[in-house]
Amino acid sequence: MEGDREAKRALLERVARQFGTPAYVYFLGDIRRRATRLRSAFRGLFRLSYAVKSNPNPALLRRMRQVVDLLDVSSAGEIRRALRADWPASCMTFTGPAKTAAELRLAVRAGLGEIVVESFDEACLLESICEQEGKAAPALVRIAPRNVPRGFGVSMSGKPTQFGVDEEELEKTLPAIASLSRLDLHGFHIYSGTQCLKAEAVIENYEIFLHLFRRAAAIAGIGPQRLIFGSGLGIPYHESDAPIDLDTVASRTLAALEPARQEPPLQDAELVLETGRYLVGEAGIYLTRVVRTKQSRGATFALCDGGMNHHLGAAGHLGSVLQRNYRMFKVTPDQGEEKEFTLVGPLCTTIDTIGRSVRLRGLEAGDVVGIECSGAYGLTASPIHFISHPPPREILVDEAGGEIVFEDVSEYSASAETSP
């Protein structure tokens, strides 16, 4: 948890009393500070783009207008969410490997800032739709690098992939895309992977991007207007994780980027850092309350009112190979003897386990547990309809006039599930 731990624990207790559990709690101040930290570290060289997929809560999206410059959207649903949250269409970039004709048509009609094409076939479909609509579409081409640094987090390149144009195919594909008369090729987009905590790997990744952006611009014969760097910056989910050294990443990246910005073909390009998890992940806490404890064959279980149905990642089923506990803590007074617990949710399946061999002090029925790093890929990345338990609340915590303000921004109503 960023900020004063005890002060935040007291605020979370208030949320649990006032709004109940289970609940996701998002601290807006933490998100703002993280964005400011990113801008400062990179000395304003990058504009910030928020990946809506990481947390698409409508109220949060609306607040993000004062935090970031652009949005990365990956479906028609996210486009509509962003428009309803009063984001200008011109501030959106549309990514995704399997965009349908209907989605591309919506993007063209809405006037999105750029549509990221991920293959020549997709570019041709977009060209056809533009002809039918009598419009042109600003486009970026996503590139899939041949190499991803060792030790990177979740890799999306460096292997057969559904994302982007393979680096090996650039000489054939880029001129063909650039020749399409209805597409206005603005530049390029690379997102090789995510959740990396190793500074050296991120730095090397950005150096690969820079090399490919130069090469792609030369092949396409353009001076790029925009280049999007998929940040790849990770957050420390587990007790053994150390936060990434952002200062080292930024200083070494600037040393490579600033000279490149002084010469063609990149001198006029706007640089964008696309991130979601790094902005909002550590700003979110998931709260679940212990319904009862249970002894079974030498193990102590804490049976909670929320689990995998609300937080697939904490249960270890969101792309994890090894199931490791998220950082978690006792929200209610931390008193009594420390014991080892297995934390489980309310579902009728053994995979609904959100904490294994967790050591907590005096945990008993009625206590509330907070799971950290829950601001990204939480509620909407989870099977909330499985077994029809009520959805969790979503609460924004902010400051206004020197006072702490709580706002219930729950996207899914629990009324239908809880009424008799």
Side-chain angles (χ1 to χ4, degrees):
M1 292 189 296
E2 294 186 8
D4 185 280
R5 178 174 287 270
E6 290 309 312
K8 190 164 288 186
R9 189 192 301 263
L11 292 176
L12 292 168
E13 279 196 87
R14 288 178 58 185
V15 169
R17 287 196 305 268
Q18 183 174 343
F19 298 98
T21 59
Y24 276 94
V25 186
Y26 310 128
F27 289 89
L28 284 174
D30 288 351
I31 297 173
R32 294 192 189 98
R33 283 186 286 273
R34 181 60 64 95
T36 299
R37 176 86 176 86
L38 278 172
R39 294 185 195 278
S40 175
F42 286 102
R43 298 206 292 266
L45 186 65
F46 285 102
R47 299 184 80 194
L48 295 183
S49 177
Y50 174 60
V52 175
K53 66 180 75 68
S54 64
N55 190 329
N57 179 277
L60 180 61
L61 272 185
R62 191 167 289 110
R63 301 305 204 288
M64 293 300 285
R65 287 192 61 194
Q66 284 72 54
V67 178
V68 298
D69 308 293
L70 306 164
L71 290 184
D72 171 78
V73 293
S74 297
S75 70
E78 289 189 351
I79 293 172
R80 295 188 182 101
R81 280 174 180 262
L83 292 172
R84 288 195 297 267
D86 299 323
W87 273 88
S90 60
C91 292
M92 300 180 209
T93 300
F94 186 19
T95 59
K99 304 179 196 73
T100 66
E103 288 179 312
L104 290 172
R105 194 177 304 278
L106 171 64
V108 170
R109 288 178 175 176
L112 262 61
E114 280 118 3
I115 298 171
V116 179
V117 295
E118 309 215 13
S119 67
F120 180 62
D121 285 349
E122 184 178 80
C124 289
L125 175 59
L126 179 58
E127 170 87 352
S128 174
I129 289 169
C130 287
E131 289 176 350
Q132 295 166 20
E133 297 292 324
K135 295 183 177 182
L140 304 175
V141 174
R142 180 168 180 172
I143 301 170
R146 179 189 292 111
N147 298 312
V148 177
R150 287 176 59 86
F152 212 82
V154 181
S155 177
M156 300 176 183
S157 291
K159 59 185 178 182
T161 179
Q162 69 266 48
F163 300 111
V165 176
D166 289 348
E167 174 186 344
E168 302 92 313
E169 300 294 320
L170 291 180
E171 280 80 2
K172 179 178 70 175
T173 304
L174 285 185
I177 292 176
S179 71
L180 297 174
S181 62
R182 293 282 183 168
L183 301 194
D184 182 6
L185 185 56
H186 279 191
F188 308 99
H189 174 290
I190 306 178
Y191 207 123
S192 290
T194 186
Q195 186 44 29
C196 185
L197 294 172
K198 297 183 178 180
E200 291 295 331
V202 172
I203 293 162
E204 183 182 347
N205 203 39
Y206 292 169
E207 291 171 348
I208 291 171
F209 290 7
L210 184 57
H211 167 74
L212 284 175
F213 286 147
R214 283 170 159 162
R215 180 179 160 204
I219 293 171
I222 66 168
Q225 299 176 42
R226 179 172 288 174
L227 300 171
I228 297 183
F229 288 64
S231 79
L233 299 171
I235 60 175
Y237 284 103
H238 315 293
E239 291 293 344
S240 59
D241 291 341
I244 190 167
D245 184 349
L246 182 64
D247 288 334
T248 296
V249 170
S251 63
R252 296 265 300 279
T253 300
L254 288 170
L257 281 177
E258 288 178 331
R261 297 271 293 144
Q262 304 304 314
E263 59 187 40
L266 307 185
Q267 60 186 1
D268 296 321
E270 176 185 82
L271 305 184
V272 176
L273 194 68
E274 179 195 317
T275 181
R277 186 194 319 263
Y278 192 76
L279 279 175
V280 302
E282 291 183 83
I285 307 289
Y286 175 67
L287 302 181
T288 183
R289 189 182 301 274
V290 178
V291 175
R292 64 182 59 88
T293 61
K294 177 182 184 291
Q295 298 292 324
S296 176
R297 299 185 175 117
T300 304
F301 288 83
L303 286 71
C304 302
D305 59 3
M308 184 188 77
N309 52 329
H310 299 161
H311 205 328
L312 192 66
H317 305 307
L318 194 62
S320 299
V321 177
L322 299 175
Q323 294 182 338
R324 295 188 292 160
N325 297 330
Y326 277 32
R327 297 173 187 262
M328 61 184 70
F329 61 100
K330 189 179 171 189
V331 173
T332 39
D334 200 13
Q335 301 170 348
E337 180 184 356
E338 184 179 82
K339 294 182 179 180
E340 189 172 280
F341 295 88
T342 298
L343 274 65
V344 299
L347 306 183
C348 301
T349 170
T350 57
I351 64 174
D352 185 17
T353 301
I354 54 176
R356 299 162 181 83
S357 301
V358 180
R359 299 196 67 84
L360 294 169
R361 192 175 297 281
L363 191 65
E364 57 187 28
D367 283 331
V368 176
V369 175
I371 299 179
E372 299 185 38
C373 292
S374 295
Y377 303 106
L379 179 57
T380 58
S382 302
I384 61 173
H385 299 295
F386 183 41
I387 309 191
S388 299
H389 284 280
R393 297 291 186 189
E394 291 180 277
I395 309 299
L396 284 179
V397 181
D398 201 5
E399 295 182 12
E403 298 291 328
I404 299 295
V405 177
F406 300 93
E407 182 181 354
D408 188 338
V409 296
S410 304
E411 184 175 2
Y412 301 97
S413 172
S415 59
E417 289 88 346
T418 58
S419 59

